[in-house]
Amino acid sequence: MAEFITRGAYDCIEMNHIGHLPVAVHRALDEKALRDERDRAQNGLKHSEARCRALAGNLSYGICRCGLDGKFLEVNEAMVKMLGYASKEDLLAANLACDLIQDPDKRAQLLGQSDQQGLVDPLEIEWKRKDGTTLKVRLSGQEVRGEQDELDAYEVIAEDITKQRQLEDHLRQQAARDSLTGLANYRHLAEVLDMEIKRSERTGRQFALLLFDLDGLKQINDRYGHLTGSHALCRVADVLSFCRDIDTAARYGGDEFAVVLPETGAEAASQVAQRICDSIAHDGMGPALSVCIGVAVYPQDGERIEALLRAADTAMYAMKAKKRELIDDRQCVAH
């Protein structure tokens, strides 16, 4: 018997005592069940200790544990600071993840589960801090299962990406905006024109392009200085910025500006152009400013961006030539 046990046998029953076999088997099964339960408890304790260390020690990411209803069960200190709460207890009562967990689509995205196309994008949502301000967070999560492999909870990692998104928005604006006037730049103007051409092809509706040239910018610079000249450009931009929300005002060149008027015909565009001229001339600041305007309407004046710009540019310089003739005639009369 000793030799059998040293070779790995759990127990041995002599043939003369075969009646003891059922008792030995029953005892062996009970002790095996106790060992398995102990091993599960030890593994659970190790997992719990590791989770607690992660919750307590991670300072870069907010980490939380949610119940199946989405209510917070545990949070780390980084999550508390991220959301501006005074204590863990205050944050546990906030239930910020309820809507997230209870929405099947968002929950699937949180867990990284693929959609019908086999693709899944990181989940980004807005959360409210304790003071009411908004922050953007990128979330990822996993299921937590219990001893019987039943879903027990969710663990969620939150990364604050507010500053990252603000920087990206700022860079996008810089790429599309003129640095002096804040209006759209030439690149963005071309994108808007291309979009309006495609829209008009679908709807059959016209749109208009206005080009403006500030008269006498060189003379303003020479007489008053370049700072006043730059301010003059900004004065024109201020007038153009009060266009409709659907309109796009842009700085087309050094002293040239453009306005795109969706769903606008020639007559209405000319009226808008005249109002802009009057507003620039009577903005209440000095020196007095005036502009020349050219109007082009899609599709009769051109069906491509280059053709529309050329048509508006031609009309603008025709107006500028008429102004010069009037000035020359007045000077002749004065002499």
Side-chain angles (χ1 to χ4, degrees), residues 211-219 255-256 290-294 312-328:
L211 285 189
F212 299 84
D213 180 84
L214 178 59
D215 296 330
L217 180 61
K218 183 179 184 305
Q219 288 75 17
D255 58 355
E256 294 182 348
S290 65
V291 293
C292 292
I293 300 179
D313 195 61
T314 300
M316 181 180 68
Y317 277 95
M319 181 178 178
K320 187 177 285 288
K322 288 181 180 179
K323 276 191 175 182
R324 289 200 187 102
E325 291 177 3
L326 289 174
I327 291 172
D328 291 341

Side-chain angles (χ1 to χ4, degrees), residues 27 43 53 59 78 94 98 100-101 136 155 164 185 222 243 252 273 283 317 322 335:
R27 184 175 65 246
N43 290 334
R53 285 195 297 270
L59 302 178
C98 284
L100 172 67
I101 297 299
K136 284 186 174 293
E155 286 184 350
Q164 177 184 338
N185 58 17
D222 292 343
C243 294
Y252 178 58
D283 67 350
Y317 277 95
K322 288 181 180 179
H335 287 304

Side-chain angles (χ1 to χ4, degrees), residues 173-185 234 251:
Q173 289 179 3
Q174 281 190 325
R177 297 287 169 182
D178 174 62
S179 58
L180 175 63
T181 64
L183 298 179
N185 58 17
C234 292
R251 188 179 179 190

